[in-house]
Amino acid sequence: MPYLIIEHLEKLGEWVLLEYKHASEWWGDKLIFTNVLPEEREELAKLGGVIPQSVTGFPFDRSKMIVLDPFAEEELKPEDIDEDTIIVVGGILGDIEFTGKTKKFITSKIEGAKARNIGKVQFSIDGSAIVAKLIAEGKRLEEIEYEEHPTIRLDEFSEITLHYAVPKINGKLLLTPGLIELQKKELGYEEGISDEELIEFFEGKREL
């Protein structure tokens, strides 16, 4: 099984950590975090290997590296991947559209590495890790199900729409575990908000 590197490029907030935990569930001891600050090391060491240096400067064998970059011309295929391949994912929270951060901060700085895309849709960090794992196990990109911009119900009054695609297996969304609970927390669900207040919030009549 190849290795997956997540080049950590965000503040280690709750949302990022949930995505990292989900990636770890899929990759186990084959997951490595690079570009990790000293104060983040203990938390990330629970999920995978930890290297303080950036993947762009660490002396990995570049010929064995594949950077998942939305702007890459070729898509990732099972035959690209060997047992000792190192797949690199940017630990970057996505925007509404592709911004080229992976190319700027990773691909352009790793001469000799291959660059591959995983389609024209944007996945989360853990979603990218899952798609990479499925392809490493032999699936082709066109065989992998996903739902773009899925809408998730929080309760009978409220819902959120994710601005990225989520992989699916047998029709089931592989949502980041804990994401719904985090969204409820950020909306104030744990502070005793009444149903009337929630309705007014989603109608734009009040703040929580």
Side-chain angles (χ1 to χ4, degrees):
M1 179 57 65
Y3 287 89
L4 183 81
I5 284 180
I6 294 179
E7 171 81 344
H8 177 52
L9 293 167
E10 296 279 359
K11 179 181 177 182
L12 193 60
E14 289 184 84
W15 191 308
V16 174
L17 191 55
L18 287 177
E19 293 195 12
Y20 285 0
K21 287 179 178 177
H22 197 202
S24 178
E25 290 174 10
W26 278 80
W27 282 87
D29 61 3
K30 295 292 187 175
L31 176 62
I32 300 170
F33 297 95
T34 53
N35 201 43
V36 177
L37 296 173
E39 60 268 25
E40 299 168 328
R41 181 180 181 86
E42 182 177 356
E43 191 67 45
L44 292 182
K46 300 173 186 175
L47 307 177
V50 175
I51 295 175
Q53 297 96 328
S54 167
V55 69
T56 62
F58 202 80
F60 294 107
D61 183 345
R62 304 293 177 88
S63 68
K64 298 182 182 299
M65 297 178 71
I66 299 175
V67 181
L68 297 191
D69 186 336
F71 288 94
E73 294 182 1
E74 295 184 47
E75 68 178 41
L76 184 66
K77 299 179 178 67
E79 52 266 31
D80 292 326
I81 304 170
D82 296 318
E83 287 293 310
D84 56 354
T85 296
I86 301 169
I87 302 171
V88 182
V89 171
I92 304 167
L93 291 177
D95 294 303
I96 300 300
E97 297 180 353
F98 292 127
T99 59
K101 289 181 179 177
T102 300
K103 184 174 183 179
K104 178 181 178 180
F105 294 117
I106 304 176
T107 313
S108 64
K109 297 181 178 181
I110 308 183
E111 186 177 350
K114 302 180 185 73
R116 297 287 187 269
N117 71 67
I118 50 172
K120 302 303 181 184
V121 297
Q122 183 168 211
F123 290 99
S124 59
I125 301 166
D126 55 330
S128 298
I130 291 170
V131 171
K133 182 75 181 310
L134 293 174
I135 294 174
E137 292 174 346
K139 278 190 175 292
R140 298 200 169 271
L141 191 58
E142 62 269 21
E143 297 175 325
I144 298 173
E145 296 180 83
Y146 65 87
E147 184 173 337
E148 195 170 5
H149 308 304
T151 295
I152 311 300
R153 292 203 64 81
L154 300 179
D155 64 11
E156 60 180 308
F157 300 112
S158 55
E159 60 187 25
I160 58 169
T161 298
L162 302 178
H163 62 266
Y164 51 83
V166 177
K168 300 166 74 173
I169 289 184
N170 298 324
K172 181 181 178 181
L173 281 174
L174 300 175
L175 282 172
T176 308
L179 179 61
I180 294 175
E181 290 75 11
L182 178 60
Q183 288 293 295
K184 287 184 175 182
K185 176 182 174 182
E186 291 181 347
L187 286 172
Y189 279 50
E190 297 181 357
E191 299 174 5
I193 302 298
S194 69
D195 291 347
E196 291 76 15
E197 288 172 321
L198 276 175
I199 292 171
E200 291 178 0
F201 169 74
F202 284 101
E203 290 177 343
K205 296 178 181 178
R206 68 171 290 127
E207 294 183 358
L208 295 179

